[in-house]
Amino acid sequence: MGTRILAVEDDERIRTAVKMALEDEGWVVEEADNGEDALESFSRHPTDVVLIDIMLPGIDGFEVCRSIRRNSDVPIVMVTARADTHDVVAGLEAGADDYLTKPFAPKELSARIRALLRRARTSDPGISHLKFGDLEIVPEEGMVLRDGQEVHLTKTEFRLLVELAASPGRVFSREVLLERVWGYGYFGDGRLVDVHIRRLRMKVESDPANPRHVVTVRGLGYKLQT
Amino acid sequence: MSVMRFLPATRRLGLRARLTLIFALGAALLSAILSVTTWELTRENLLLQRLDAARQSAIANATFVSKELKLPRAADASNFEKLLTSLPTPEGAQPVISYNQDVGGKPAAYAKDPLQFGLNDLPEKLRVTVTSGQAATMRYYARKDNNPYLAVGIPIASSNASYYEAVPLQDVENALDGLGISLLGAAALTTLAGGLFGFWISRRALAPLTEVGTAAGAIAGGRLDTRLEVSGDPDLDTLTVSFNEMAAALESRLDRDARFASEVSHELRSPLMTLAASIEVLENSRDEMPERARTALDLMRADVERFQQLVEDLLEISRFDVGAITLHLDEVLVVDFVIQAVGAAGAGGIKVIYDEDVGEAVVRLDKRRFVRVIANLLDNAAKYAGGATSIQIQLASRNAGEGGQSHEVVRIAVEDSGHGVPADERTMIFDRFSRGGEGGNRGADSGVGLGLALVDEHVRLHGGTVWVEDRLDGKAGARFVIELPAVPESEPHLAEPVAV
């Protein structure tokens, strides 16, 4: 059974064309033309990736995103018509893992999906347990504990944390993180990193406004420390 | 376009100068009228007083003299002297008694002090009139010393003589001269004050106009939200309110135009999405297609890509127009960036030439936007000059205006080996939808002329400049140069991530 993609798009022609193109890439595509149907379909069928157009009639893409995030860490790719508005940041804040701007090439979408589905890895597979003060990471089980309590991270947040944890104290530039976590090249959007770092801090930091573990290094990037 | 003319076309002076002049002239005229009137009234008054006094004194003295002349002792010349001295005359007055006919052996006339003032010092005309039996008054200047006098002559018919009394007017003249000088000085001061007042008034009155001018300049400069403050002065508020309404109308109109372009571009994205996806589906079964269908598919794909680019460009231009561009600035090594950008533009074969000292140069730019800038310059070279021959990156320094302080700049130059750009087209070429004069040299893939306009707008938004010149090595071809400020090494690097 192939990887199942739920494509939420209200424009029938776009939906049909994108579905065909994605099927050619080997994905199994489930369709929904509005937010309600999307949530309904998501709750009934096992889904590996969700593709959501932000501009939906009724419940909009942000809300669908948030509803799914409430009880799932499934990778979500958001589709927006505007790359430089607040839509992108708002979508990422709502829980999306990546975004694409219309019109995009379905092959590019496939590449994004593949990058999101990659398993988290550490540079040294021998490491099975990492501890940073009150923070514990168990890469093999995909688990993060804060003060012994399990913290729920999305797949992308987890991979970001593991990348940083692989070399504690080392500063990672946004470009490096974009490349390692999202598979983007030189021209990736740094906002992806920034928003995911914010989301990560909300979950792993006891005081997200004054982070102790996931620290910003002015002008250079981010690092993880004890 | 209609131009309302507020002022005559032949005006030479500015409004302020004219107002000042009008006030000065008005003050001069007014003070002149006042001065002349004052002077005249004073003169009349003074002279009239003198005249009255002289007449009264002369009449009284003539009556007394007429009585004395009838007495026998009048025959004695020495008594005349006593008589003349005893007469109560006003200060400085000169009494003269003269007989109308020679009386044998005796002098015809007697004066108090004949050497100082005698009959001959009285005017001929007065003497003739009085001798003929008529009293008369006359103002004149003495022939001897040219001093002013007022003379009263009264005939004494009983003795066939005349009595004269001449009052000097020198003091009155002096007083009037003094008054005249004072008045002249006052008039000059008033004129000056009038001019100054006019200048001040005009500045005050024109201050709102200056504000309007500044505001209009600001609007023309692109700050469309500039408005005038409503002052509460009903005369001025007509102008202020109209101006603000005009500015608001202009702003909303431009905003609407730009929004329209933006909406249209967004609307075009949906069909483009379907086309892009459908073309990919067709591409997947390319091998099963007949040759003609493949050619048609290639054509379609190429033009859908071009269409996409056009929509992107229009959208970007409309963002510039509404000022809705938010740059996501990053600090990048310029050489790294250019090499990556050339690669992303699918032009990896083009040589990137740079000196060693540029290797560490850092510029601050929006990577995703600036990669389009490089791509547009490469596209432009590909369309009009058979492709770029090289990209050169250099460090230079540039003077920052008056301060004389120079700062480091980075120049990214794209050279080609085409026909170059004629000098008179080097500015125009960066205008929207301009295609230069050599339209015939264009391949089948003609652009829409937004590429260089976007380059210009983006570079300026990044605080740089772009221009086109001849190739430095003297060979035929154009050299497009982007100049960006280099980030000084000493400057603290960007703080929090800017891209959020």
Side-chain angles (χ1 to χ4, degrees), chain B residues 221-359:
Chain B
R223 294 204 301 283
L224 293 172
D225 56 346
T226 309
R227 296 290 182 274
L228 290 175
E229 209 174 299
V230 177
S231 61
D233 179 329
D235 296 324
L236 285 180
D237 283 352
T238 325
L239 176 66
T240 310
V241 169
S242 312
F243 183 90
N244 285 346
E245 279 171 5
M246 181 197 74
L250 189 68
E251 189 184 10
S252 77
R253 170 117 188 224
L254 287 176
D255 199 47
R256 220 164 44 226
D257 286 357
R259 219 179 287 281
F260 177 73
S262 163
E263 292 297 326
V264 168
S265 304
H266 282 307
E267 288 303 315
L268 288 174
R269 285 171 171 231
S270 293
L272 275 173
M273 181 71 243
T274 309
L275 283 174
S278 301
I279 286 173
E280 217 176 281
V281 174
L282 287 176
E283 288 279 355
N284 290 335
S285 38
R286 186 182 181 84
D287 295 344
E288 297 141 41
M289 285 180 189
E291 186 60 34
R292 287 169 66 81
R294 274 186 228 170
T295 310
L297 176 59
D298 288 344
L299 287 175
M300 197 158 82
R301 192 189 50 204
D303 260 16
V304 165
E305 275 169 17
R306 199 169 89 186
F307 193 22
Q308 254 177 42
Q309 199 50 57
L310 172 59
V311 169
E312 285 308 313
D313 286 355
L314 273 175
L315 196 57
E316 190 74 351
I317 281 273
S318 71
R319 283 192 203 110
F320 273 110
D321 290 347
V322 282
I325 297 228
T326 319
L327 291 181
H328 302 303
L329 292 176
D330 274 317
E331 284 176 357
V332 299
L333 289 169
V334 65
V335 173
D336 267 11
F337 175 79
V338 171
I339 292 172
Q340 294 280 359
V342 170
I350 294 170
K351 275 182 294 177
V352 178
I353 304 164
Y354 56 94
D355 301 334
E356 215 174 291
D357 62 342
V358 194

Side-chain angles (χ1 to χ4, degrees), chain A residues 55 84 94 99 132 138 151 154-155 173 180 201:
Chain A
M55 304 271 265
D84 73 339
Y99 76 95
F132 297 90
V138 192
V151 177
T154 68
K155 285 194 168 69
S173 69
R180 296 214 178 152
R201 280 175 181 159

Side-chain angles (χ1 to χ4, degrees), chain B residues 59-97:
Chain B
I59 289 168
N61 288 338
T63 314
F64 182 71
V65 168
S66 118
K67 280 178 196 153
E68 284 290 320
L69 288 183
K70 283 180 198 154
L71 299 175
R73 65 170 187 250
D76 190 347
S78 65
N79 282 337
F80 273 98
E81 210 172 311
K82 243 187 264 170
L83 169 65
L84 285 168
T85 315
S86 71
L87 286 175
T89 53
E91 167 90 19
Q94 299 287 352
V96 175
I97 299 167

Side-chain angles (χ1 to χ4, degrees), chain A residues 24 81 102 106 174-175 191, chain B residues 269 280 284 367 494 497 499:
Chain A
D24 281 357
K102 271 190 201 172
R174 288 202 205 100
E175 285 78 8
R191 290 179 294 179
Chain B
R269 285 171 171 231
E280 217 176 281
N284 290 335
K367 281 196 285 187
L494 286 182

